[in-house]
């Protein structure tokens, strides 16, 4: 509400869309907290568009976000990591088409579900760019990250937290399950200029280029410009990102010989987290340029990601920029 009042032209629709996402988050949180107790553990047996075996909770979370949003008239199109194509939202007879676009990863890190490791939902909101009056389309989804109107994530960790930005700072809310409400617990989050941690999957070492190896070695051992850091890698993007946001740190998922564009997705993973981290005083690049300036070419496009404390990201990018540009992004 306070954020909405900062925008005199606000109609309240964006606030309401954020509330819709919070409702989905509460429902997903309840199911995540019970995952060990119900029979929805384990893979649903189906395979998603990424070729990944879908965990039951993946399917549940995807349906929950879609159902919380698609009948509200606030959104004209959605796109999810779990769905091959954009999901156009029908225009109800008594309403005009929604003016917002929702891109989301309903449950990132889902391989961690069965071992009780923190997981998260990531969302990105744009305004539609196509003419109103009919459902939105792919063009509305393929917008550069700098144009986001809101972005954030829900972390299903030791507590359930919502962290979001609308371009005026980053704010964290903690779910009080006894009343079913998100309460403002972390106003105006800022991330330290220099981080305590570096987060990267070092088992990829032999698949990295020499500049990537030099950057990781510098964070491990220190190298004049940077002090050595503690290694922390959970293997769950939202959990790794959130710890680094609060304590200071750098997360890297660089390109490698197995993942020539990196592993993480631009539209609904890298770009929303890049919006959050820049608003918190941090930085995010693909190793060469800001993630928020990357023009997307396909819905599930991957991007190398270097994100976190500004001094650390600037150091890493100054070295990685020297290597040859990656090949043209693959469509999947
Ligand atoms: P790796 C989880 O599967 C995920 O998509 C992110 O949450 C996480 O940061 C990354 O993959 C971990 O990938 O290759 O290190 O296991």
């Amino acid at each position: 509400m306070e954020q909405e009042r900062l925008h005199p032209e606000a109609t309240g629709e964006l606030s309401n869309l954020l509330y819709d996402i919070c409702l989905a988050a509460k429902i997903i949180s309840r199911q995540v907290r019970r995952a060990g107790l119900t029979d929805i553990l384990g893979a649903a047996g189906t395979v998603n568009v990424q070729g990944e075996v879908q965990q039951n909770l993946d399917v549940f979370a995807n349906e929950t976000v879609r159902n919380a949003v698609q009948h509200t008239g606030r959104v004209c199109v959605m796109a999810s990591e779990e769905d091959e194509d954009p999901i156009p939202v029908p225009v109800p007879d008594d309403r005009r088409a929604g003016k917002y676009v929702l891109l989301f990863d309903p449950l990132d890190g889902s391989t961690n579900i069965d071992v009780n490791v923190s997981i998260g939902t990531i969302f990105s909101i744009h305004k539609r760019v196509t003419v109103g009056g009919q459902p939105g389309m792919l063009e509305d989804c393929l917008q550069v990250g700098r144009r986001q109107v809101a972005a954030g994530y829900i972390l299903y960790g030791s507590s359930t937290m919502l962290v979001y930005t609308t371009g005026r700072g980053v704010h964290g809310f903690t779910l009080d399950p006894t009343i079913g409400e998100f309460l403002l617990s972390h106003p105006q989050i800022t991330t330290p200029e220099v981080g305590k941690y570096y987060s990267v999957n070092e088992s990829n070492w032999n698949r990295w280029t020499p500049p990537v190896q030099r950057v990781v070695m510098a964070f491990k051992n220190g190298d004049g410009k940077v002090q050595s850091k503690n290694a922390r890698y959970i293997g769950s993007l939202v959990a790794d990102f959130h710890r680094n946001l609060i304590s200071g740190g750098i997360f890297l998922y660089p390109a490698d010989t197995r993942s020539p564009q990196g592993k993480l997705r631009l539209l609904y993973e890298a770009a929303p987290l890049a919006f959050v981290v820049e608003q918190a005083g941090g930085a995010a690049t693909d190793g060469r340029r800001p993630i928020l300036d990357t023009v997307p070419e396909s819905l599930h496009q991957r991007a190398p990601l270097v994100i976190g404390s500004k001094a650390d990201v600037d150091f890493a990018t100054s070295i990685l920029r020297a290597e040859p540009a990656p090949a043209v992004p693959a469509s999947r």
Side-chain angles (χ1 to χ4, degrees), residues 307-330:
I307 189 168
S309 293
K310 187 165 185 340
D312 299 332
V313 172
D314 290 351
F315 167 79
T317 303
S318 67
I319 294 170
L320 298 176
R321 183 178 284 133
E323 65 180 2
V328 171

Side-chain angles (χ1 to χ4, degrees), residues 12 31 54 80 95 112 147 176 210 244 253 273 290 321 332:
Q31 209 64 17
Q54 281 190 283
S80 164
R95 294 205 186 161
N112 295 299
R147 292 171 57 91
D176 180 341
N244 290 350
Y253 209 108
L273 296 184
R321 183 178 284 133
R332 297 291 317 140

Side-chain angles (χ1 to χ4, degrees), residues 46-288:
T46 55
V47 175
N48 70 9
V49 294
Q50 323 295 342
E52 297 163 348
V53 173
Q54 281 190 283
Q55 305 285 341
N56 281 329
L57 266 179
D58 273 333
V59 177
F60 178 84
N62 197 38
E63 291 308 311
T64 299
V65 174
R66 288 176 60 161
N67 292 339
V69 172
Q70 67 186 8
H71 303 294
T72 62
R74 292 190 256 276
V75 168
C76 64
V77 64
M78 291 184 272
S80 164
E81 178 178 48
E82 299 296 334
D83 296 300
E84 173 77 25
D85 300 310
I87 307 143
V89 177
V91 183
D93 296 339
D94 60 337
R95 294 205 186 161
R96 55 180 178 70
K99 66 181 179 184
Y100 290 112
V101 178
L102 176 65
L103 313 172
F104 62 100
D105 183 352
L107 207 58
D108 178 78
S110 54
T111 51
N112 295 299
I113 292 171
D114 289 352
V115 292
N116 204 11
V117 166
S118 301
I119 48 185
T121 298
I122 311 170
F123 63 90
S124 168
I125 299 173
H126 285 275
K127 276 196 176 160
R128 77 178 303 167
V129 291
T130 57
V131 174
Q134 75 277 347
M137 50 192 81
L138 179 61
E139 182 185 351
D140 293 300
C141 301
L142 297 183
Q143 296 188 54
V144 70
R146 199 69 71 189
R147 292 171 57 91
Q148 292 174 95
V149 294
Y153 56 88
I154 295 93
L155 174 60
Y156 310 101
S158 48
S159 63
T160 296
M161 272 195 76
L162 162 73
V163 176
Y164 88 102
T165 184
T166 57
R168 289 179 178 253
V170 176
H171 310 285
F173 295 74
T174 301
L175 179 64
D176 180 341
T178 64
I179 60 173
E181 281 300 343
F182 281 100
L183 306 181
L184 180 61
S185 53
H186 298 69
Q188 291 294 353
I189 295 173
T190 56
T191 196
E193 172 80 6
V194 177
K196 291 167 62 174
Y197 302 117
Y198 78 98
S199 309
V200 68
N201 184 339
E202 298 197 45
S203 71
N204 293 326
W205 179 270
N206 292 326
R207 288 190 276 268
W208 291 335
T209 60
V212 173
Q213 293 173 341
R214 181 183 157 202
V215 165
V216 173
M217 191 63 83
F219 290 138
K220 186 197 295 280
N221 301 325
D223 94 336
K225 290 181 186 160
V226 290
Q227 301 293 318
S228 63
K229 302 179 187 297
N230 261 334
R232 289 286 187 281
Y233 192 71
I234 301 171
S236 186
L237 175 61
V238 174
D240 278 316
F241 175 84
H242 183 74
R243 179 206 51 248
N244 290 350
L245 181 76
I246 301 299
S247 303
I250 182 166
F251 173 97
L252 307 98
Y253 209 108
D256 62 44
T257 52
R258 181 175 57 185
S259 311
Q261 287 303 314
K263 174 180 183 181
L264 301 174
R265 307 290 180 171
L266 174 63
L267 282 176
Y268 40 78
E269 290 174 343
L273 296 184
F275 189 14
V276 170
V277 83
E278 283 200 5
Q279 283 291 312
T285 72
D286 62 4
R288 307 170 59 77

